[in-house]
Amino acid sequence: MRITNSIKFFFIAGIILFNKRIFANDCQNESGICKESVKSSVITEKDTICYNTEDKKLYKITKTDGSCEPLNYSGNIFINEKENLLASGTDKISAGYKCNAGDCSKIEEDGLYDNLTLPNWYIYYSKTKPEELKLYEAIKYAVYHHNEADIVICRNNKSCKLINADNKTYYINYGDNLLISCLQKEGTTLVNCSKSNESNNKKGYYINSGPDQSTNPLIYCEPKQCISTSKEEVYLINSGSDSKLNDSLIYCSKDSCSIAKASNNQFYLGFIDNYPGLISCKDDKCVKHESLSDKGYYMNSGVNRNTYPLIYCSKSTSCEYVSITEPGYYINASELDKVFYCSNNSCQLEEPGQIPDEASHQIIPGECYVEKNDLIMIGNKNENGEYDEISTNETNGDENLFYFVNVELRSGFPGIKSNTKTLFRITHKSITRVSIDGTLLIDNDTHKIKMNPTNLTSKDSLYQCKKNKMICNKINSCSKKSYFLDIENKIGFACNNNKLELLSPGYYIDSGRSVGGSRNNYLIYCQSENECISIANPANYYINGGRTPELSNNKEVSTDTLIYCKSNICTTTSGTAGGHYIAGGNDDDDTLLNNGYIYCTSSSHCENRKSNGESYFLNSGENKTRNGVIKCSSGRCESIDASYGYFISENPEELIYCENGGNCSIIKPATGFYNIAYDGSVDSNRKIIECTSKIKLTCEKMNAAKGFYISNTSNILIDCTGSVCKPFYAKNGIFRSATTTTMAVNHSNNKRDTQIVYNIISCSDTGCVQLSASELAAIPICTFQNNKCFINDKLTSNSDNSIASGDYCTNSDHSIIYFATDTIVVDPEIIDGTTSIYVTTTTTSNCIEVSDEYSSYFYAVNGSIYRVGDSRIVQETRSGYYFINVITNTLANGINIEDYNNPNVKLFKCNDNNCYMVDNPTTLTYYADVNKRIIAFNPNSESYFFPYEEDIKCIYNNNKCTPNTDLNGREFCITYKGELVLASTDIKSRESGDCYKSNNIISYIFGSSQYLYEMNSNSAQTVETTGYYVVSLATNSTASFKDYNSGVNIIKIYGCVLSSCKEYQPKEGIYYYDYLSRSMYKYEDGFWSTPSISGYAMASIYPNESYIYKFSTSMNRVTLEGKAISGYYYTVDDEMYDCDENKGCVKISNNGYYFTNNGEMFYCLYDSEGIEKTVCVKQNCNIGEYYFIDGIYYRCESGSIYNYISAKYCNYNERVVVNFPTAINSNYPPEIHEAISNISEKNNSTAIINNTINNYLTVIPGIFTNCTYNYEKKSTKFDLLCINNFVALDEEKVAQICSVEQLGYVECIEDESNKKKCNPSSAFAKYSMNLGLILFISIIYFIFNNY
C-alpha cells in the first residue's frame, strides 16, 4: 500500500514538472537544458539565465519552481559559465548578447564591449578564447596595454575604445604607471606596442599621445614610473628619438609640445634635471651639458631667437636667455677668439683681428680686437699720448667696469652712428654701450660704481643716462634739491652744492630722468639708504623726502611738503593744515600701492595714515573740484565722485556734505536725519545718518527702518522703503514715516491707553512736515478687506462720516495707508446696521492699500492725478501729457492706438505745478506723451492716430536737430527725453538741420514746416486762424516789444489764411497786427516801431489786405477799434490818407486843406516830385465856437476837434460865433460876399480873421442866434445877426460895428488911421437874417454868376 502511494506521488509530480516544462515557452539554453543547480549573485542565489534560440530572448529560470520569466534588457549582457550574469572580473564568460528592448542576439565578434551588470567596466570578449576575460575600468584619461597591436583608451568615466596605435606614440599604462611605447617593427609596417617594466623604464621626456595630451602634452619617466606633465617655452631632449637631429628635441610653447628639428652647431636653452641648462646639437645629435667648463654667451637657435639672440650660462645649471638691451661685443663661449656683434636686438658671429701695432696701423677709439679669447677695446688717449686698451680680463667675475670713451664712427662699434662720447660697460665676457635710464656714479680711478657719499671732483664722475638715446652725459655740477638714482645698484643720491649724499628713506623727484625738458615723470623711493627703487607713472600725493621747512614768524612753513604727480608730471606743493590727500604708491610693488592717505597738520608737516575701517575725508587734493571726497576702506583710499548726500567725517560732530561730485564741504549738522551719499559700494542693509544731541551732538550711521525720514532740507525726504535709502524731492503728497510716536488712545469704555503709531509726513510746495499729535489723531481709521474700506468711527476722533476720493485713511497704528478711489463711508455695522450713508458709494471697491503693486497706476480725481507707491500717496505733476483710462486707472501704453481712442481715456496736461484735463483741440494737433510716443488728433474724425509707424529719435541743440534716420517728409521727431521737435525741412540721418522745440510745456513757440504750428515742449497745434503771427527768431515765440529792435533780422512775420501760412517780408509804412500779442509794428528804414499814441494807422491785419484802422494803445498793447469809412484820415505816422470803402486808402497827392472824418482840419503840402515827404499841419479852432464846413455846422471842442452840433449845444436865445473858413468856402453867400466887399470898400477894412501864425483857420466870423435843432434830420439852423467888422446905423443914426468878442454890435470908435472905419457898410440898417435865407441867396447868386 505504501509502495503504491509512493508511485502515485512521483507519477503526479513528474506530470506537473513536465507540464511546467511545456508551458515555459520552450525555455532552453543551447544544449536544451538549463542547469538549475548553479548560483546567480545578480538575480537570486537559485536562479539562472537561459537564452531561447527560437524567439531570441533571455529568460530567468527560477530554481524553486522552474518558472520562466522573459528579461527585457537593452544593452550588452554577458553570462558566466554558471549560467548567471557576469558579476566580477574573475568569472569566465560562456556567452555574450546584444539586447534591445528584450530582443537579443549573440555576440560573435571579438572586441571591447560595455555591459549592463558592470557599468564602469569594459569587457574584451574573444570568441576563440572566451575564458580569457579582460576587464578595463572606465577611468578618465586611463590607457591600458591590451596586446602588441592594441591599446585601450578611456577619455572619460563612461567611454573606452580599443585602438591600433600609430608609430612613435607613447602612453602611460594605467595602474603601474609604466611607459607604453608603440613603435614600428623594423622592416615592416606593423606597429608593436610594448610596456616597459621597472628595470627598463627609460628616464626622460616623451610626447604624450594619451587622451590628456591637451593639458599635459609631455610624459616624463623615472626608472620606476611615468607621469604626464607640461612645460612652457622650453626645449627638452626627446627620449623617444632615433638619435637623429630631425627628432632629437621637443619644444614646448605656451599651448602645446611638439618635435623640434635641429641642425648641427646649434644651441638651445633646455630644461635639464629641473634646471635651465644648455643643449648643444652637433655630430647629428643633441646632448645636454651635465657640466659646463666655458661659461659665457652662446648663439640661441630657438624659436624665440629674434627676441633673445643669445644664451648666457654662468654654470651648467644656470643658463638664461639674453635680449640685447646694450649693443656691443659678446665673447662666444663655443669657439675660441670669436665674438658676437650685437645691435638692434640681433647678433651675428664675427672674428675680429688681433690688436694692431700703433706704428703700423692707425688706432681708432672704439675698435675692438680679440687676444687669447679676451676682448680688447681701444679707449681714449692717456696722459702719455697713448691710447688706452680696455680689456675684459680686467674684471673679476660678475664685476662691471665703466669707461667714458669718445668713440669714432669708423670704429664700427655696434650701434655707433656718429662720433659719440658716452659710457661703456666692461664685463668678463662683453664690452657694451651703456643703455639705461638713470644715473651712475663712477670712481674715475677704479672705473667701478661709487656707492658712498662723495663730491663731484676729478676723482668721481656722475653720469646721466637716457636709454632711448643710448647716451650717458657727464654731469659736472648739480644744483640743490636735485636727486639721482643708480637704478642698477638701488642707490639714491641727493645733491647739495656738488656734494652727493645718500638719500634717506622717503620719496623724491628723480632729477636724472625727465621727459620733455623739465617734466619729471619718475620718483625715487628709498626704503633705506641702500634700498631705493624707481617709481614709474606715479600718481597722487607723496610726502617729499627732500622738503625744506623754513621759519616765518616763528612758525615752520614749507612750499614743498608734498609731491603731486599727474599725467607723468610730478611737482612739489605745499600741504594745507587739516588737509587730506590720497597717498600714491609704486605700480611695481603692491605693498606701496595706494597706501592710505596723507594728513597734514600744517603746511610743513604731513604724515601717512592708514584707515583700517571705512572712513571718509574731505579731499584737499588737486582733483577736489571733481572728486570732493576721499573714501578709505581696508587700508586703501580713493577719491570718489560722490552723489548728493552726506558722509560721516572723522569728527563725529561734523558731516561731509556734497551737492555733487566736486562740491563738498564740512558742515555742522543739526539733530535729525541725513541721507548717505552713494559712493559706489553696495551695502546689504539700508543705512541712514542720524545726528542726536545728548551731552554733545554726534552723528552715526545706523540701520534705517522702512519708511520715510524728513531731512534737514526743504522738500527733501529720505526714502528708505527699498534696499537702500535715497533722497528725493517731494511735494503734494502723504508719506508714512519710518519713525514712530506714542499716542493716547480713548476706548469706548472711557479708558485711556497708549499706543505706538507711525508718524505721517505731509509735503506741499513749501516743504515737508510731520503731522502734529492732533493732526495724527484726526486721521480717519479704516477697516480694509478686498479693496473695500469703511470708516471705523469708534477709533476715529473726528466727526467726518465720509472720505472723498483722492483722500486717505489708515489702519489703527498708521502703518498702512489706504487711498480712497471712491467715497469711503462709516461702517454700517458700527452705526446699528444703518446703510443709508453707504449708498453714496458707486463702486464695489472704494480703496486700495498703498504699495508698489499699484505704482504703475494713475488715479484721476477732479482734474488731479494721484500716484501711490510703497507707503506714499503723491500728486503727479511732472511735466507732460498723460492719456489716462479713468476706469482702469492706467496709462495708454503707446503701442495700441485703440487705447487712446477708448472713450474712457482722458487727456491730462501737467506742468510741474498742477494738472488739468485737456479738451479736444479744434485743429490737427500732435502730442508727445509721457510714453515718449507721438500721437496726433484729427478734429474732423475726433480721433487719435499714430502719424508714424515708428517715431524718429533725434538730438536737439540750439535750433538744430540730428535724427537717427532719414525724415523722408516726416515733420516731427522726438528727443530721448520725450520732447517734440519740428523739422523745418527734410533732414538726412545723422545730419543736422533747422528745427524747433519749446523749452517747456508752458512756453509756446511757433514752428514752420509744411504748416505753421503753435508748440510747447510736448505738443504742436496747427495754426488755422487767419491773421499775422509775428515771431521773434531769438525765442521763436510771439515777438515782444524788446525784440523788435534788439538786432538785425530777428523778426519773422507769418501770414495765415486759415491753415495756409507763409513768411511775409514787411512792406515799409504798413503796420502789421498780431492778434495773439495785440501788438502792431511797422518796418521802416531798417527799424521796427510801434505807435506811441492812439489814433489811425495804415495797417494790415491779414495777408493781402491793408487799410486805415482806428486803434488805441496802452503799454504797447494795441486794440483795434474799427475800420475806417470813406473820407480823409490823418495817421499817427503824420500821413494823410484818402479812403474809399470800395477802393481802399491812398495817400493824398495835392496841396490843400483836408477835413478828416474824425473832425480835424489839416493843411498839407505835397511834393509832386516825391523828394520831400508830405507835410500836414493841423489847423486849430476856437473852442466853443461854431464852424460852417461843407454845409454842416460843427462845434470846436478841446484839441481842435470839430464835432457835429448836438441838441445839447443848440440854444435858441444864445448868441454864438459862426466861422466861415475862407480856404474851404471859396464862394460865399451874396450877403456875406457883399458884406465883405462893402467892408473892404466903404470901411477900408476886412471881415476875415487871419491867425496863420498860430495854425488857426482863416475865417469870416459872424454872430448868429436862434439855434434850432431838427431831431429827425439831426441838423441845425441859425439866424444871422452880423458879420465881423460890418458897420450899421442904429435907430438913432449912431454907427454900430459888429464885434465878435461882444457877440453883436457895439458903438464904433473912430480911428485916426482909418477914417472910413465907422462908415455904414450898406444902406440897410441893422438886420437879422436866418441861415435859410442866406443859403437861398447864395444859390441864386451862384446860378446868376455861372449862367
Side-chain angles (χ1 to χ4, degrees):
M1 191 68 184
R2 289 194 197 109
I3 297 174
T4 304
N5 290 337
S6 297
I7 294 172
K8 288 181 179 180
F9 172 80
F10 284 110
F11 177 78
I12 294 170
I15 292 174
I16 292 172
L17 291 175
F18 178 79
N19 289 334
K20 282 193 174 184
R21 193 73 175 205
I22 293 174
F23 292 115
N25 291 327
D26 194 22
C27 182
Q28 305 180 52
N29 57 11
E30 288 186 72
S31 61
I33 299 173
C34 288
K35 298 179 180 179
E36 299 175 354
S37 60
V38 298
K39 293 183 178 181
S40 172
S41 62
V42 178
I43 309 272
T44 66
E45 291 183 352
K46 299 179 181 180
D47 298 336
T48 58
I49 299 298
C50 174
Y51 179 67
N52 189 337
T53 56
E54 293 184 5
D55 62 5
K56 297 185 177 180
K57 292 183 181 293
L58 290 173
Y59 292 87
K60 177 180 74 173
I61 300 175
T62 305
K63 176 67 177 177
T64 55
D65 59 1
S67 63
C68 198
E69 178 186 347
L71 299 175
N72 193 30
Y73 288 122
S74 288
N76 297 324
I77 296 295
F78 288 92
I79 308 300
N80 62 18
E81 60 183 354
K82 295 180 180 181
E83 302 298 330
N84 297 130
L85 291 176
L86 186 69
S88 69
T90 59
D91 288 355
K92 291 184 179 181
I93 297 174
S94 64
Y97 302 92
K98 290 182 179 180
C99 298
N100 183 12
D103 294 330
C104 302
S105 61
K106 192 171 184 181
I107 295 175
E108 302 288 350
E109 296 180 358
D110 295 356
L112 193 68
Y113 297 91
D114 60 0
N115 69 102
L116 293 177
T117 56
L118 297 174
N120 293 329
W121 294 78
Y122 274 75
I123 299 171
Y124 182 79
Y125 175 74
S126 174
K127 183 179 180 182
T128 57
K129 298 180 179 179
E131 70 281 356
E132 295 182 6
L133 178 63
K134 290 186 177 181
L135 291 177
Y136 300 103
E137 187 176 3
I139 297 176
K140 187 178 181 179
Y141 297 156
V143 179
Y144 300 93
H145 181 253
H146 180 67
N147 54 37
E148 292 183 352
D150 304 306
I151 58 175
V152 175
I153 292 181
C154 301
R155 299 196 175 277
N156 51 50
N157 295 332
K158 296 181 179 180
S159 174
C160 298
K161 288 184 178 181
L162 185 71
I163 66 168
N164 298 119
D166 295 330
N167 184 32
K168 290 189 177 180
T169 54
Y170 299 90
Y171 308 87
I172 298 175
N173 188 61
Y174 183 79
D176 55 14
N177 294 330
L178 295 175
L179 186 68
I180 300 173
S181 302
C182 296
L183 303 172
Q184 188 174 311
K185 288 184 178 181
E186 189 174 352
T188 69
T189 59
L190 297 177
V191 174
N192 180 36
C193 292
S194 61
K195 188 182 74 167
S196 304
N197 54 48
E198 291 185 1
S199 61
N200 66 356
N201 206 46
K202 184 180 178 182
K203 180 181 179 181
Y205 288 94
Y206 302 84
I207 294 292
N208 184 9
S209 300
D212 62 340
Q213 60 181 312
S214 60
T215 54
N216 293 316
L218 292 176
I219 294 174
Y220 176 69
C221 293
E222 292 284 352
K224 292 186 178 181
Q225 70 168 354
C226 299
I227 59 171
S228 59
T229 184
S230 63
K231 299 290 181 186
E232 288 187 6
E233 297 185 354
V234 70
Y235 284 89
L236 305 164
I237 299 294
N238 182 14
S239 297
S241 170
D242 292 335
S243 299
K244 294 180 180 179
L245 289 176
N246 60 355
D247 68 346
S248 57
L249 292 180
I250 297 173
Y251 174 69
C252 292
S253 64
K254 287 185 176 180
D255 302 320
S256 62
C257 297
S258 59
I259 300 297
K261 186 177 181 180
S263 300
N264 280 320
N265 300 318
Q266 289 185 339
F267 297 90
Y268 301 88
L269 183 61
F271 191 76
I272 301 170
D273 296 332
N274 295 324
Y275 294 101
L278 189 68
I279 296 175
S280 64
C281 298
K282 57 182 178 179
D283 300 331
D284 293 330
K285 64 179 180 179
C286 297
V287 297
K288 57 185 179 182
H289 287 263
E290 301 289 352
S291 62
L292 194 66
S293 58
D294 294 325
K295 70 176 181 178
Y297 294 95
Y298 298 84
M299 183 71 80
N300 180 18
S301 298
V303 295
N304 59 352
R305 56 186 174 273
N306 292 329
T307 306
Y308 302 101
L310 299 179
I311 299 171
Y312 178 74
C313 295
S314 59
K315 54 185 178 180
S316 61
T317 58
S318 181
C319 297
E320 61 183 351
Y321 290 118
V322 177
S323 63
I324 306 304
T325 57
E326 293 188 346
Y329 293 100
Y330 297 80
I331 296 176
N332 184 1
S334 64
E335 294 185 70
L336 188 64
D337 288 342
K338 289 189 178 181
V339 297
F340 298 116
Y341 177 97
C342 297
S343 180
N344 295 326
N345 209 34
S346 64
C347 297
Q348 60 188 40
L349 193 62
E350 193 172 276
E351 188 174 353
Q354 299 296 318
I355 188 166
D357 184 0
E358 189 173 348
S360 60
H361 182 82
Q362 185 177 5
I363 302 299
I364 303 172
E367 272 193 308
C368 290
Y369 303 91
V370 174
E371 186 174 74
K372 296 181 181 179
N373 216 34
D374 287 326
L375 189 58
I376 298 170
M377 177 182 182
I378 303 300
N380 299 324
K381 273 190 177 182
N382 54 32
E383 296 175 351
N384 300 324
E386 298 177 347
Y387 287 96
D388 291 330
E389 294 182 359
I390 305 168
S391 175
T392 54
N393 67 3
E394 296 178 12
T395 63
N396 272 327
D398 297 329
E399 188 178 56
N400 291 348
L401 301 180
F402 297 88
Y403 286 84
F404 195 57
V405 182
N406 191 357
V407 174
E408 295 185 15
L409 173 64
R410 56 185 179 149
S411 68
F413 193 92
I416 296 295
K417 297 180 181 179
S418 63
N419 293 346
T420 303
K421 190 171 187 179
T422 188
L423 205 59
F424 289 85
R425 185 194 308 268
I426 315 299
T427 71
H428 191 57
K429 295 294 181 180
S430 65
I431 297 177
T432 58
R433 181 180 178 179
V434 174
S435 177
I436 63 169
D437 278 321
T439 53
L440 293 173
L441 181 61
I442 307 299
D443 187 318
N444 293 333
D445 292 335
T446 64
H447 297 284
K448 297 179 181 180
I449 293 291
K450 186 84 172 182
M451 301 180 69
N452 299 315
T454 186
N455 293 320
L456 288 182
T457 62
S458 58
K459 178 175 173 51
D460 300 314
S461 296
L462 184 66
Y463 297 92
Q464 182 178 358
C465 302
K466 293 185 177 182
K467 186 174 183 177
N468 61 341
K469 295 183 178 181
M470 291 189 294
I471 287 292
C472 295
N473 294 315
K474 185 177 181 180
I475 300 176
N476 297 315
S477 63
C478 57
S479 60
K480 188 178 181 181
K481 293 188 178 181
S482 54
Y483 307 95
F484 305 94
L485 173 66
D486 179 349
I487 196 169
E488 291 192 339
N489 299 285
K490 297 185 177 181
I491 303 170
F493 297 97
C495 182
N496 189 359
N497 298 325
N498 292 335
K499 183 179 181 181
L500 295 176
E501 298 175 343
L502 295 180
L503 290 179
S504 56
Y507 294 92
Y508 305 85
I509 294 178
D510 192 342
S511 305
R513 299 180 73 179
S514 61
V515 177
S518 60
R519 292 175 57 187
N520 300 94
N521 67 332
Y522 288 89
L523 290 184
I524 301 169
Y525 173 65
C526 294
Q527 290 180 301
S528 62
E529 281 192 347
N530 296 314
E531 192 63 32
C532 299
I533 61 172
S534 178
I535 300 178
N537 302 315
N540 298 317
Y541 287 85
Y542 305 81
I543 296 177
N544 184 11
R547 61 191 180 278
T548 53
E550 299 175 356
L551 285 176
S552 175
N553 297 326
N554 295 322
K555 291 184 179 179
E556 274 195 355
V557 294
S558 175
T559 60
D560 62 353
T561 308
L562 299 174
I563 298 171
Y564 175 61
C565 298
K566 177 186 177 183
S567 302
N568 294 335
I569 300 176
C570 295
T571 56
T572 58
T573 183
S574 60
T576 302
H580 296 82
Y581 305 85
I582 298 176
N586 175 17
D587 57 356
D588 296 324
D589 186 351
D590 189 59
T591 62
L592 304 176
L593 181 61
N594 196 6
N595 56 341
Y597 65 96
I598 295 172
Y599 175 70
C600 295
T601 57
S602 66
S603 65
S604 60
H605 184 266
C606 300
E607 59 189 34
N608 281 303
R609 289 184 177 181
K610 276 206 171 186
S611 176
N612 293 325
E614 183 179 278
S615 53
Y616 299 89
F617 308 94
L618 201 62
N619 185 11
S620 301
E622 183 271 344
N623 66 337
K624 62 185 178 183
T625 57
R626 298 181 303 278
N627 297 350
V629 172
I630 295 173
K631 175 188 177 182
C632 296
S633 179
S634 302
R636 299 289 181 90
C637 298
E638 61 178 337
S639 63
I640 59 174
D641 179 8
S643 61
Y644 169 81
Y646 300 83
F647 296 96
I648 299 285
S649 73
E650 57 185 335
N651 184 348
E653 298 181 27
E654 296 176 338
L655 291 178
I656 298 173
Y657 166 61
C658 293
E659 288 188 14
N660 51 51
N663 188 4
C664 301
S665 59
I666 296 290
I667 67 163
K668 293 286 187 181
T671 57
F673 297 98
Y674 297 84
N675 67 284
I676 297 175
Y678 179 66
D679 61 2
S681 62
V682 177
D683 198 326
S684 58
N685 297 316
R686 49 179 173 253
K687 302 288 185 182
I688 197 169
I689 296 172
E690 182 179 17
C691 295
T692 57
S693 179
K694 294 180 181 178
I695 299 175
K696 61 179 181 179
L697 188 140
T698 58
C699 299
E700 62 179 342
K701 186 189 292 188
M702 57 174 283
N703 290 331
K706 185 177 181 180
F708 294 88
Y709 294 88
I710 296 178
S711 76
N712 282 32
T713 304
S714 178
N715 286 103
I716 299 297
L717 290 183
I718 305 170
D719 180 3
C720 295
T721 58
S723 59
V724 295
C725 295
K726 50 190 176 183
F728 76 102
Y729 184 81
K731 66 175 185 177
N732 299 331
I734 292 294
F735 304 85
R736 199 217 75 187
S737 175
T739 65
T740 59
T741 188
T742 301
M743 284 185 60
V745 179
N746 292 322
H747 294 285
S748 57
N749 54 7
N750 294 325
K751 291 184 178 180
R752 290 178 61 85
D753 201 353
T754 59
Q755 181 183 8
I756 296 176
V757 298
Y758 282 91
N759 289 304
I760 298 294
I761 300 168
S762 174
C763 292
S764 65
D765 291 340
T766 58
C768 297
V769 294
Q770 193 164 273
L771 296 187
S772 65
S774 60
E775 292 171 327
L776 203 60
I779 296 175
I781 304 300
C782 286
T783 60
F784 174 84
Q785 186 175 9
N786 297 328
N787 288 352
K788 190 71 178 179
C789 288
F790 290 101
I791 300 172
N792 187 334
D793 62 352
K794 290 185 178 181
L795 298 177
T796 301
S797 62
N798 64 16
S799 59
D800 293 340
N801 56 13
S802 68
I803 300 171
S805 58
D807 215 329
Y808 73 100
C809 58
T810 72
N811 66 342
S812 60
D813 67 352
H814 304 317
S815 61
I816 302 174
I817 301 175
Y818 307 111
F819 174 70
T821 58
D822 203 340
T823 303
I824 300 175
V825 297
V826 175
D827 192 335
E829 294 185 1
I830 297 177
I831 53 175
D832 301 325
T834 302
T835 60
S836 58
I837 298 177
Y838 169 69
V839 297
T840 59
T841 59
T842 59
T843 60
T844 57
S845 154
N846 65 350
C847 69
I848 58 172
E849 179 182 328
V850 299
S851 67
D852 285 341
E853 177 185 354
Y854 301 99
S855 61
S856 62
Y857 290 82
F858 294 76
Y859 298 92
V861 180
N862 298 327
S864 297
I865 302 173
Y866 293 92
R867 305 284 304 277
V868 299
D870 201 353
S871 302
R872 79 190 80 183
I873 302 171
V874 295
Q875 191 172 340
E876 179 64 81
T877 60
R878 285 177 298 177
S879 177
Y881 286 97
Y882 298 76
F883 289 86
I884 300 176
N885 187 315
V886 295
I887 301 301
T888 63
N889 303 309
T890 56
L891 271 182
N893 57 20
I895 300 173
N896 300 316
I897 197 63
E898 293 79 10
D899 291 342
Y900 292 87
N901 287 311
N902 187 311
N904 297 319
V905 170
K906 307 300 178 184
L907 176 58
F908 293 81
K909 177 182 178 181
C910 298
N911 57 21
D912 288 331
N913 290 315
N914 53 57
C915 300
Y916 56 89
M917 193 182 298
V918 178
D919 293 330
N920 288 341
T922 57
T923 63
L924 177 64
T925 303
Y926 295 83
Y927 297 98
D929 73 351
V930 291
N931 291 314
K932 300 180 182 179
R933 185 70 199 269
I934 300 176
I935 309 102
F937 180 79
N938 183 348
N940 296 324
S941 61
E942 293 191 346
S943 63
Y944 293 97
F945 64 96
F946 291 137
Y948 315 125
E949 289 185 8
E950 185 174 348
D951 293 341
I952 296 175
K953 295 290 191 298
C954 58
I955 299 171
Y956 177 89
N957 183 38
N958 195 24
N959 295 329
K960 299 284 185 181
C961 68
T962 306
N964 63 356
T965 187
D966 294 350
L967 291 183
N968 289 334
R970 288 168 284 191
E971 294 180 279
F972 292 96
C973 59
I974 192 167
T975 69
Y976 292 92
K977 292 181 180 180
E979 299 165 310
L980 195 63
V981 177
L982 173 67
S984 61
T985 57
D986 253 359
I987 306 174
K988 296 290 187 182
S989 174
R990 311 300 175 186
E991 296 181 2
S992 296
D994 293 334
C995 293
Y996 303 90
K997 184 185 78 67
S998 174
N999 292 330
N1000 52 61
I1001 204 167
I1002 61 174
S1003 298
Y1004 282 85
I1005 66 168
F1006 287 94
S1008 177
S1009 183
Q1010 298 173 20
Y1011 296 93
L1012 183 66
Y1013 295 94
E1014 188 176 10
M1015 307 173 59
N1016 61 32
S1017 59
N1018 298 85
S1019 72
Q1021 184 171 5
T1022 308
V1023 173
E1024 292 188 1
T1025 302
T1026 299
Y1028 288 106
Y1029 301 86
V1030 185
V1031 177
S1032 166
L1033 295 184
T1035 61
N1036 288 323
S1037 59
T1038 299
S1040 61
F1041 179 73
K1042 66 179 181 179
D1043 292 321
Y1044 279 84
N1045 290 311
S1046 59
V1048 180
N1049 297 326
I1050 69 161
I1051 297 297
K1052 182 178 286 189
I1053 298 176
Y1054 293 102
C1056 296
V1057 178
L1058 297 178
S1059 63
S1060 177
C1061 303
K1062 64 179 182 179
E1063 182 182 352
Y1064 281 82
Q1065 295 300 322
K1067 294 180 180 179
E1068 295 200 355
I1070 296 178
Y1071 286 93
Y1072 291 88
Y1073 186 75
D1074 185 335
Y1075 278 103
L1076 287 179
S1077 63
R1078 289 177 55 200
S1079 60
M1080 191 168 72
Y1081 291 87
K1082 74 169 181 177
Y1083 185 74
E1084 199 165 46
D1085 298 329
F1087 291 94
W1088 290 92
S1089 63
T1090 186
S1092 59
I1093 59 173
S1094 302
Y1096 291 89
M1098 175 60 76
S1100 181
I1101 63 174
Y1102 52 82
N1104 304 319
E1105 180 272 351
S1106 59
Y1107 202 76
I1108 296 296
Y1109 288 88
K1110 185 181 181 182
F1111 67 91
S1112 60
T1113 180
S1114 175
M1115 303 295 291
N1116 297 316
R1117 290 288 184 268
V1118 173
T1119 301
L1120 294 182
E1121 297 181 351
K1123 187 176 182 180
I1125 61 175
S1126 297
Y1128 294 105
Y1129 294 89
Y1130 189 69
T1131 67
V1132 293
D1133 297 326
D1134 299 326
E1135 297 283 0
M1136 184 64 72
Y1137 283 87
D1138 183 5
C1139 290
D1140 186 303
E1141 294 179 49
N1142 297 318
K1143 298 179 180 180
C1145 300
V1146 295
K1147 292 181 182 179
I1148 61 171
S1149 57
N1150 292 296
N1151 298 333
Y1153 285 89
Y1154 293 90
F1155 186 46
T1156 67
N1157 277 16
N1158 65 320
E1160 293 180 301
M1161 183 71 72
F1162 291 87
Y1163 180 72
C1164 299
L1165 290 175
Y1166 172 75
D1167 183 2
S1168 60
E1169 296 181 358
I1171 298 174
E1172 298 292 337
K1173 181 181 178 180
T1174 298
V1175 177
C1176 295
V1177 179
K1178 183 177 180 180
Q1179 303 300 296
N1180 297 321
C1181 61
N1182 295 313
I1183 298 175
E1185 294 185 358
Y1186 295 78
Y1187 289 79
F1188 185 77
I1189 302 173
D1190 293 333
I1192 300 174
Y1193 285 106
Y1194 296 90
R1195 188 176 189 273
C1196 181
E1197 304 290 353
S1198 175
S1200 294
I1201 300 297
Y1202 298 86
N1203 284 337
Y1204 289 108
I1205 296 175
S1206 63
K1208 175 183 177 182
Y1209 294 104
C1210 188
N1211 299 312
Y1212 186 78
N1213 293 321
E1214 182 183 10
R1215 291 187 176 190
V1216 295
V1217 178
V1218 177
N1219 298 288
F1220 295 85
T1222 59
I1224 299 174
N1225 302 307
S1226 58
N1227 295 319
Y1228 299 102
E1231 287 75 10
I1232 303 298
H1233 187 273
E1234 183 180 358
I1236 294 172
S1237 299
N1238 290 342
I1239 292 170
S1240 175
E1241 177 182 348
K1242 295 181 179 180
N1243 300 102
N1244 193 25
S1245 184
T1246 180
I1248 298 173
I1249 296 178
N1250 191 344
N1251 291 307
T1252 56
I1253 296 176
N1254 295 320
N1255 293 327
Y1256 278 82
L1257 282 172
T1258 299
V1259 297
I1260 299 173
I1263 307 303
F1264 292 77
T1265 188
N1266 298 338
C1267 179
T1268 303
Y1269 186 79
N1270 189 325
Y1271 283 91
E1272 291 182 0
K1273 297 181 179 180
K1274 295 183 179 180
S1275 62
T1276 55
K1277 66 177 181 177
F1278 292 89
D1279 290 337
L1280 175 63
L1281 292 179
C1282 63
I1283 296 298
N1284 182 43
N1285 288 338
F1286 190 89
V1287 179
L1289 297 176
D1290 62 8
E1291 295 175 353
E1292 298 178 356
K1293 305 299 182 180
V1294 177
Q1296 301 287 324
I1297 190 168
C1298 187
S1299 171
V1300 174
E1301 290 80 6
Q1302 298 300 322
L1303 296 178
Y1305 284 103
V1306 296
E1307 184 179 354
C1308 184
I1309 306 300
E1310 296 290 344
D1311 186 356
E1312 291 295 331
S1313 62
N1314 182 11
K1315 301 295 185 179
K1316 297 182 178 182
K1317 175 183 177 183
C1318 292
N1319 292 339
S1321 301
S1322 71
F1324 298 101
K1326 293 188 291 184
Y1327 59 90
S1328 65
M1329 185 181 296
N1330 62 35
L1331 185 59
L1333 181 59
I1334 293 175
L1335 289 176
F1336 175 77
I1337 295 172
S1338 298
I1339 293 170
I1340 299 300
Y1341 180 83
F1342 176 78
I1343 296 173
F1344 178 79
N1345 281 282
N1346 286 278
Y1347 292 94

